């Protein structure tokens, strides 16, 4: 197996590069054709790797690519999930090379080189590791159990149609565990396995003042400026301790025991990690918690975008009629996305002064997820990584969200193993996203071992 991977390394890299050239941006309809084409391409790659019954399943949005290899119905089945869609590449002018023209470059953290392209890590690169690991098991006659693939094209926009697909195809998706590579490790010499994902509430707000844009000299001072008002309202959502002020927001938040927090503190991530890599002078966050805790076991509120008024060249003295913002809250276990969205909505309407009207529009949400570390899936991932990294992986809760994972558990009764290989510094969703060749190859080597150990653990 190791030989097969080494012999085919260059081809594995070249194939990924070809896939990265197709701009499958799910959020932007001008990329529609390319996104559909990517699904066809993934189907083709699965067929070539040796999968049966490969199909592009249509949905109301982008299709889901399904494929399987059933070798023996008495053996366990691993369902692999991933996504072929990517985030928009904006702001394009901050990329050092075009986002859909992949190039390999060396970096401090990736001395062996990394592939720079939108989707290199999130998630085409990580998803494709599974296709190549599967090919490897097929070609070396070492697939130890059944495998099913479910690769979607709407993860970056909320996975709504996948939810429907899962509910309607429970039999087809019958499996014993779900395996996902769409998260990361602490560092290339510090392997870790993700044991939690945060949930999400995403909201858009509109603040309206006067019925039209006004001359800021003739009216300024007497009429509410919606941008001033919105800024103040947003600022009031957190107090001086960076505690969120929405009434009821923390009611269901699970507090970790001192013991659990002590265990967490062993992970080699400190304030310095952030300060150095982000070129900031200090970290900032909720009082009473470490940086690592702030990005994993604590809920947060962030403004993702804010606009209104005049932003063109030069100066225009205007008192705008409207101001807007997109606000997201990351949630932790037991917080309910719909409930938090409602609390936000009520509070935001409450704190608005009489001088403006506010409109709150909810976007997609997501439920938080945590996995135990003593079930067959986790143990198999741990053994696999121990083997390929030569170190025991550390369990860590991630701050990111993959909303569909909670639905998998709810609808299919299946736990997900979050065995990702990216680094936080891979710049996913940002300009210059990249994925280390080391990480890509490590994934392809580790996945077949997961299959082997899961089959063993399952039978024991
Ligand atoms: N793969 C990421 C989530 C992720 C990355 C989790 C790294 C843990 C570590 C996923 O594609 C993503 O970006 N999710 C979105 C949510 C979605 C509803 C747009 C997120 O977390 O913002
Ligand atoms: Mn992803
Ligand atoms: Mn993403």
């Amino acid at each position: 197996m190791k030989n097969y991977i080494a012999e085919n390394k260059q081809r594995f890299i070249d194939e990924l590069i070809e896939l990265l050239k197709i701009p499958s941006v799910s959020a932007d309809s001008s990329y529609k054709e390319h996104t559909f084409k990517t699904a066809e391409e993934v189907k083709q790659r699965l067929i070539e790797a040796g999968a049966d019954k490969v199909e592009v399943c249509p949905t109301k949005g982008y299709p889901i690519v399904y494929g399987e290899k059933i070798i023996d119905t008495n053996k366990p089945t691993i369902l692999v999930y991933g996504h072929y869609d990517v985030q928009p590449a904006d702001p394009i002018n901050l990329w050092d090379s075009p986002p859909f023209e992949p190039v390999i470059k060396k970096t401090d953290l990736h001395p062996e080189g990394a592939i720079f392209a939108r989707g290199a890590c999130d998630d085409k690169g990580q998803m494709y590791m599974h296709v190549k690991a599967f090919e490897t098991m097929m070609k070396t006659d070492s697939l130890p159990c059944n495998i099913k693939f479910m690769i979607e094209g709407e993860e970056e926009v909320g996975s709504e149609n996948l939810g429907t697909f899962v509910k309607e195809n429970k039999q087809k998706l019958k499996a014993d565990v779900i395996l996902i590579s769409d998260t990361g490790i602490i560092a290339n010499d510090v392997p870790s396995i993700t044991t939690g994902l945060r949930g999400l509430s995403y909201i858009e707000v509109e603040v309206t003042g006067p019925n039209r844009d006004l001359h800021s000299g003739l009216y300024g001072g007497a009429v509410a400026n919606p941008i001033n008002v919105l800024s103040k309202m947003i600022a009031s959502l957190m107090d001086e301790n960076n505690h969120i002020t929405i009434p009821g927001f923390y009611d269901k938040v699970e507090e970790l025991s001192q013991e659990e927090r002590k265990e967490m503190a062993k992970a080699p991530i400190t304030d310095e990690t952030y300060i150095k890599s982000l070129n900031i002078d200090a970290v900032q966050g909720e009082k009473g918690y470490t940086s690592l805790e702030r990005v994993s076991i604590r809920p947060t509120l962030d403004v993702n975008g804010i606009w209104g008024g005049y932003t063109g060249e030069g100066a225009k003295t205007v008192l705008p009629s409207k101001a807007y913002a997109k606000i997201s809250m990351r949630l932790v276990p037991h917080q309910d996305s719909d409930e938090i969205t409602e609390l936000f909505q009520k509070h935001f309407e409450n704190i608005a002064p009489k001088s403006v009207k506010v409109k709150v529009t909810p976007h997609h949400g997501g439920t938080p997820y945590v996995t135990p570390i003593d079930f067959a899936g986790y143990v198999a991932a741990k053994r696999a990584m121990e083997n390929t990294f030569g170190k025991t992986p550390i369990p860590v809760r991630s701050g990111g969200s993959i909303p569909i994972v909670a639905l998998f558990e709810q609808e299919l009764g299946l736990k997900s193993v979050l065995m990702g290989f990216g680094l936080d510094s891979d710049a996913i969703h940002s300009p210059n996203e990249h994925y280390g060749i080391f990480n890509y190859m490590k994934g392809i080597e580790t996945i077949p071992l997961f299959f082997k150990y899961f089959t063993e653990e399952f039978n024991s």
Side-chain angles (χ1 to χ4, degrees):
M1 204 145 67
K2 261 199 145 143
N3 283 342
Y4 184 85
I5 294 171
E7 281 159 17
N8 291 281
K9 178 174 175 180
Q10 193 55 49
R11 178 173 58 82
F12 288 176
I13 295 169
D14 293 343
E15 286 179 14
L16 173 58
I17 285 179
E18 285 311 306
L19 200 61
L20 289 168
K21 287 182 185 170
I22 321 175
S24 49
V25 181
S26 54
D28 183 343
S29 59
S30 62
Y31 292 94
K32 202 170 170 178
E33 232 176 276
H34 298 289
T35 309
F36 276 103
K37 186 174 175 249
T38 308
E40 293 297 333
E41 192 63 32
V42 171
K43 171 186 171 181
Q44 216 44 48
R45 309 294 181 94
L46 279 174
I47 293 172
E48 282 161 20
D52 298 328
K53 293 194 183 162
V54 187
E55 47 179 336
V56 171
C57 309
T59 71
K60 280 186 190 147
Y62 291 117
I64 293 146
V65 187
Y66 177 85
E68 60 178 45
K69 185 78 202 177
I70 307 296
I71 56 164
D72 180 347
T73 49
N74 291 318
K75 297 224 158 107
T77 301
I78 296 172
L79 175 58
V80 173
Y81 163 81
H83 61 97
Y84 64 80
D85 65 321
V86 302
Q87 284 273 323
D90 316 49
I92 286 224
N93 59 323
L94 293 183
W95 285 75
D96 295 329
S97 56
F100 300 106
E101 292 171 30
V103 289
I104 297 178
K105 277 189 297 193
K106 293 191 164 110
T107 73
D108 288 350
L109 290 176
H110 296 293
E112 213 196 305
I115 305 175
F116 282 74
R118 172 56 85 229
C121 174
D122 184 13
D123 181 43
K124 279 179 179 159
Q126 298 216 60
M127 174 271 286
Y128 204 60
M129 297 182 317
H130 287 271
V131 182
K132 293 298 99 179
F134 171 59
E135 174 196 311
T136 301
M137 290 187 279
M138 291 297 288
K139 288 283 159 62
T140 57
D141 218 2
S142 53
L143 180 68
C145 63
N146 307 309
I147 180 170
K148 294 178 177 176
F149 284 93
M150 172 173 59
I151 314 295
E152 72 152 319
E154 298 187 318
E155 196 279 336
E156 300 291 7
V157 290
S159 302
E160 236 163 81
N161 293 303
L162 179 64
T164 312
F165 179 82
V166 167
K167 286 177 194 163
E168 288 172 357
N169 291 280
K170 290 192 182 172
Q171 196 52 39
K172 182 188 200 129
L173 300 174
K174 216 169 167 289
D176 297 291
V177 75
I178 297 176
L179 178 61
I180 304 174
S181 297
D182 194 19
T183 54
I185 49 177
I186 294 173
N188 282 351
D189 56 355
V190 189
S192 57
I193 298 173
T194 303
T195 52
L197 294 163
R198 285 196 286 191
L200 191 68
S201 282
Y202 202 111
I203 285 146
E204 190 164 329
V205 298
E206 181 191 277
V207 176
T208 306
N211 59 2
R212 61 189 165 91
D213 283 9
L214 303 173
H215 187 290
S216 67
L218 298 182
Y219 292 92
V223 177
N225 179 322
I227 301 183
N228 295 22
V229 171
L230 176 59
S231 307
K232 213 166 167 178
M233 287 171 75
I234 288 173
S236 80
L237 294 175
M238 281 202 266
D239 68 14
E240 68 281 6
N241 294 325
N242 289 307
H243 215 69
I244 293 157
T245 56
I246 300 169
F249 184 84
Y250 291 98
D251 282 3
K252 296 193 175 162
V253 169
E254 174 192 54
E255 293 287 342
L256 265 64
S257 65
Q258 283 309 325
E259 222 166 45
E260 285 171 294
R261 291 178 68 182
K262 240 175 150 173
E263 196 56 37
M264 252 190 96
K266 287 185 187 157
I269 299 175
T270 64
D271 291 354
E272 282 310 307
T273 317
Y274 293 90
I275 290 172
K276 275 209 197 102
S277 68
L278 302 176
N279 198 20
I280 48 179
D281 293 328
V283 293
Q284 183 181 304
E286 189 183 359
K287 196 174 170 186
Y289 296 92
T290 66
S291 289
L292 182 57
E293 288 171 339
R294 289 167 180 170
V295 299
S296 61
I297 60 164
R298 300 299 296 168
T300 56
L301 182 148
D302 276 289
V303 180
N304 300 271
I306 180 162
W307 70 103
Y310 183 70
T311 55
E313 200 184 323
K316 182 188 179 202
T317 48
V318 60
L319 194 166
S321 164
K322 285 179 188 288
Y324 307 83
K326 290 182 194 278
I327 299 172
S328 66
M329 288 165 282
R330 296 277 171 177
L331 313 178
V332 298
H334 310 316
Q335 282 184 300
D336 179 85
S337 170
D338 291 338
E339 209 172 295
I340 293 293
T341 300
E342 214 179 294
L343 290 178
F344 176 96
Q345 177 152 12
K346 263 200 208 128
H347 180 64
F348 210 71
E349 286 164 0
N350 267 339
I351 60 172
K354 263 207 170 104
S355 51
V356 299
K357 294 179 194 67
V358 303
K359 192 167 117 197
V360 179
T361 313
H363 281 277
H364 53 233
T367 309
Y369 181 76
V370 278
T371 63
I373 59 169
D374 55 4
F375 79 111
Y378 187 90
V379 176
K382 180 175 141 195
R383 288 177 63 193
M385 282 185 138
E386 264 167 4
N387 189 311
T388 54
F389 284 87
K391 276 184 191 172
T392 300
I394 303 170
V396 280
R397 287 211 212 172
S398 169
S401 310
I402 309 176
I404 202 70
V405 170
L407 188 133
F408 288 156
E409 178 154 48
Q410 202 189 320
E411 296 297 328
L412 302 173
L414 293 180
K415 296 230 166 297
S416 292
V417 177
L418 301 160
M419 188 173 75
F421 294 86
L423 299 182
D424 281 355
S425 54
D426 285 345
I428 63 171
H429 296 206
S430 302
N432 302 315
E433 174 177 354
H434 55 280
Y435 192 40
I437 303 284
F438 170 90
N439 304 70
Y440 181 57
M441 298 312 296
K442 201 55 117 184
I444 298 173
E445 284 163 27
T446 309
I447 291 163
L449 293 173
F450 175 88
F451 276 67
K452 177 171 176 234
Y453 297 140
F454 183 77
T455 308
E456 283 177 24
E457 295 289 335
F458 190 81
N459 290 330
S460 71

Short mmCIF file of all heavy atoms in Angstrom, two decimals, residues 83 87 122 155-158 182-184 197 200 330 364 398 400-403 428-429, ligand 1:
data_model
loop_
_atom_site.label_atom_id
_atom_site.label_comp_id
_atom_site.label_asym_id
_atom_site.label_seq_id
_atom_site.Cartn_x
_atom_site.Cartn_y
_atom_site.Cartn_z
N HIS A 83 -17.27 17.81 0.65
CA HIS A 83 -17.96 18.74 -0.24
C HIS A 83 -17.05 19.22 -1.37
O HIS A 83 -15.87 19.43 -1.17
CB HIS A 83 -18.61 19.90 0.51
CG HIS A 83 -17.70 20.80 1.28
ND1 HIS A 83 -17.23 21.99 0.79
CD2 HIS A 83 -17.19 20.70 2.54
CE1 HIS A 83 -16.48 22.60 1.70
NE2 HIS A 83 -16.43 21.84 2.77
N GLN A 87 -15.72 28.26 -1.24
CA GLN A 87 -16.11 29.63 -0.91
C GLN A 87 -15.75 30.57 -2.07
O GLN A 87 -14.84 30.28 -2.84
CB GLN A 87 -15.33 30.10 0.33
CG GLN A 87 -15.85 29.52 1.62
CD GLN A 87 -16.95 30.37 2.22
OE1 GLN A 87 -16.95 31.58 2.14
NE2 GLN A 87 -17.92 29.70 2.82
N ASP A 122 -10.12 23.24 1.80
CA ASP A 122 -11.56 23.22 2.15
C ASP A 122 -12.41 23.19 0.90
O ASP A 122 -12.74 24.23 0.36
CB ASP A 122 -11.86 24.44 3.03
CG ASP A 122 -13.29 24.48 3.53
OD1 ASP A 122 -14.00 23.47 3.43
OD2 ASP A 122 -13.70 25.55 4.04
N GLU A 155 -22.17 22.73 0.89
CA GLU A 155 -21.77 22.85 2.30
C GLU A 155 -21.55 24.31 2.68
O GLU A 155 -21.96 24.75 3.76
CB GLU A 155 -20.49 22.04 2.57
CG GLU A 155 -20.22 21.79 4.06
CD GLU A 155 -19.57 22.96 4.79
OE1 GLU A 155 -18.91 23.80 4.14
OE2 GLU A 155 -19.73 23.06 6.02
N GLU A 156 -20.94 25.04 1.78
CA GLU A 156 -20.58 26.44 2.10
C GLU A 156 -21.80 27.36 2.11
O GLU A 156 -21.68 28.53 2.44
CB GLU A 156 -19.52 26.96 1.12
CG GLU A 156 -18.20 26.16 1.12
CD GLU A 156 -17.39 26.31 2.41
OE1 GLU A 156 -17.87 26.92 3.37
OE2 GLU A 156 -16.26 25.78 2.43
N VAL A 157 -22.95 26.84 1.72
CA VAL A 157 -24.16 27.68 1.76
C VAL A 157 -25.24 27.07 2.64
O VAL A 157 -26.42 27.41 2.52
CB VAL A 157 -24.71 27.97 0.34
CG1 VAL A 157 -23.77 28.91 -0.41
CG2 VAL A 157 -24.91 26.70 -0.47
N GLY A 158 -24.87 26.14 3.52
CA GLY A 158 -25.82 25.68 4.53
C GLY A 158 -26.37 24.27 4.38
O GLY A 158 -27.12 23.82 5.25
N ASP A 182 -12.67 17.39 6.91
CA ASP A 182 -13.02 18.77 6.56
C ASP A 182 -12.68 19.68 7.74
O ASP A 182 -13.29 20.72 7.95
CB ASP A 182 -14.53 18.84 6.22
CG ASP A 182 -14.91 20.14 5.53
OD1 ASP A 182 -14.02 20.80 4.98
OD2 ASP A 182 -16.11 20.49 5.53
N THR A 183 -11.72 19.21 8.55
CA THR A 183 -11.26 19.95 9.73
C THR A 183 -9.73 19.92 9.70
O THR A 183 -9.16 19.64 8.65
CB THR A 183 -11.80 19.30 11.02
OG1 THR A 183 -11.42 17.92 11.02
CG2 THR A 183 -13.31 19.40 11.12
N GLY A 184 -9.10 20.16 10.84
CA GLY A 184 -7.65 20.22 10.81
C GLY A 184 -6.97 19.50 11.96
O GLY A 184 -7.61 18.88 12.81
N LEU A 197 -17.80 20.46 17.08
CA LEU A 197 -17.98 21.55 16.11
C LEU A 197 -18.96 22.52 16.73
O LEU A 197 -19.88 22.11 17.43
CB LEU A 197 -18.56 21.02 14.81
CG LEU A 197 -17.69 20.06 14.00
CD1 LEU A 197 -18.54 19.31 12.98
CD2 LEU A 197 -16.57 20.82 13.29
N LEU A 200 -24.28 27.37 14.70
CA LEU A 200 -24.27 28.68 14.07
C LEU A 200 -25.66 29.28 14.00
O LEU A 200 -26.65 28.58 13.75
CB LEU A 200 -23.73 28.48 12.65
CG LEU A 200 -23.35 29.70 11.83
CD1 LEU A 200 -22.13 30.40 12.42
CD2 LEU A 200 -23.03 29.29 10.38
N ARG A 330 -21.54 31.88 16.92
CA ARG A 330 -21.11 30.47 16.99
C ARG A 330 -21.64 29.91 18.29
O ARG A 330 -21.50 30.54 19.35
CB ARG A 330 -19.59 30.36 16.98
CG ARG A 330 -18.94 30.86 15.71
CD ARG A 330 -18.94 29.81 14.61
NE ARG A 330 -18.50 30.42 13.36
CZ ARG A 330 -18.35 29.76 12.22
NH1 ARG A 330 -18.62 28.45 12.16
NH2 ARG A 330 -17.97 30.37 11.13
N HIS A 364 -29.03 30.84 7.36
CA HIS A 364 -28.93 29.44 7.80
C HIS A 364 -28.41 29.32 9.23
O HIS A 364 -27.74 30.20 9.75
CB HIS A 364 -28.08 28.60 6.85
CG HIS A 364 -26.72 29.19 6.58
ND1 HIS A 364 -26.26 29.40 5.31
CD2 HIS A 364 -25.76 29.63 7.40
CE1 HIS A 364 -25.07 29.94 5.38
NE2 HIS A 364 -24.73 30.09 6.63
N SER A 398 -13.26 21.94 17.81
CA SER A 398 -12.98 23.00 16.85
C SER A 398 -13.99 24.12 16.98
O SER A 398 -15.12 23.92 17.43
CB SER A 398 -13.01 22.43 15.44
OG SER A 398 -12.99 23.48 14.50
N GLY A 400 -15.02 25.81 14.29
CA GLY A 400 -15.77 25.86 13.04
C GLY A 400 -17.07 25.08 13.11
O GLY A 400 -17.40 24.47 14.14
N SER A 401 -17.81 25.12 12.01
CA SER A 401 -19.12 24.46 11.98
C SER A 401 -19.25 23.62 10.71
O SER A 401 -18.82 24.03 9.64
CB SER A 401 -20.24 25.50 11.97
OG SER A 401 -20.04 26.45 13.01
N ILE A 402 -19.84 22.45 10.85
CA ILE A 402 -20.28 21.66 9.70
C ILE A 402 -21.70 21.23 10.08
O ILE A 402 -21.91 20.17 10.67
CB ILE A 402 -19.37 20.45 9.41
CG1 ILE A 402 -17.89 20.86 9.35
CG2 ILE A 402 -19.78 19.78 8.10
CD1 ILE A 402 -16.92 19.70 9.16
N PRO A 403 -22.67 22.11 9.80
CA PRO A 403 -24.01 21.94 10.36
C PRO A 403 -24.64 20.56 10.09
O PRO A 403 -25.41 20.06 10.89
CB PRO A 403 -24.82 23.04 9.68
CG PRO A 403 -23.82 24.09 9.34
CD PRO A 403 -22.56 23.35 9.01
N ILE A 428 -8.15 28.89 4.84
CA ILE A 428 -9.43 28.53 4.22
C ILE A 428 -10.37 29.72 4.31
O ILE A 428 -10.32 30.49 5.27
CB ILE A 428 -10.07 27.26 4.84
CG1 ILE A 428 -10.43 27.45 6.31
CG2 ILE A 428 -9.16 26.05 4.69
CD1 ILE A 428 -11.26 26.31 6.90
N HIS A 429 -11.17 29.92 3.29
CA HIS A 429 -12.09 31.06 3.14
C HIS A 429 -11.35 32.38 2.90
O HIS A 429 -12.00 33.40 2.71
CB HIS A 429 -13.04 31.22 4.34
CG HIS A 429 -13.98 30.08 4.55
ND1 HIS A 429 -15.19 30.23 5.18
CD2 HIS A 429 -13.91 28.79 4.18
CE1 HIS A 429 -15.81 29.06 5.23
NE2 HIS A 429 -15.05 28.16 4.62
N1 LIG B 1 -14.67 22.89 6.66
C1 LIG B 1 -15.30 24.06 7.19
C2 LIG B 1 -15.53 23.98 8.69
C3 LIG B 1 -14.31 23.77 9.54
C4 LIG B 1 -13.04 24.17 9.15
C5 LIG B 1 -14.47 23.17 10.76
C6 LIG B 1 -11.93 23.96 9.96
C7 LIG B 1 -13.38 22.96 11.57
C8 LIG B 1 -12.12 23.35 11.18
C9 LIG B 1 -16.64 24.26 6.49
O1 LIG B 1 -16.50 24.15 5.09
C10 LIG B 1 -17.15 25.64 6.76
O2 LIG B 1 -16.55 26.56 6.30
N2 LIG B 1 -18.24 25.78 7.50
C11 LIG B 1 -18.87 27.04 7.71
C12 LIG B 1 -20.32 26.88 8.03
C13 LIG B 1 -21.23 26.88 6.85
C14 LIG B 1 -22.67 26.88 7.28
C15 LIG B 1 -20.97 28.00 5.88
C16 LIG B 1 -18.22 27.77 8.86
O3 LIG B 1 -17.73 27.15 9.81
O4 LIG B 1 -18.22 29.00 8.80
#
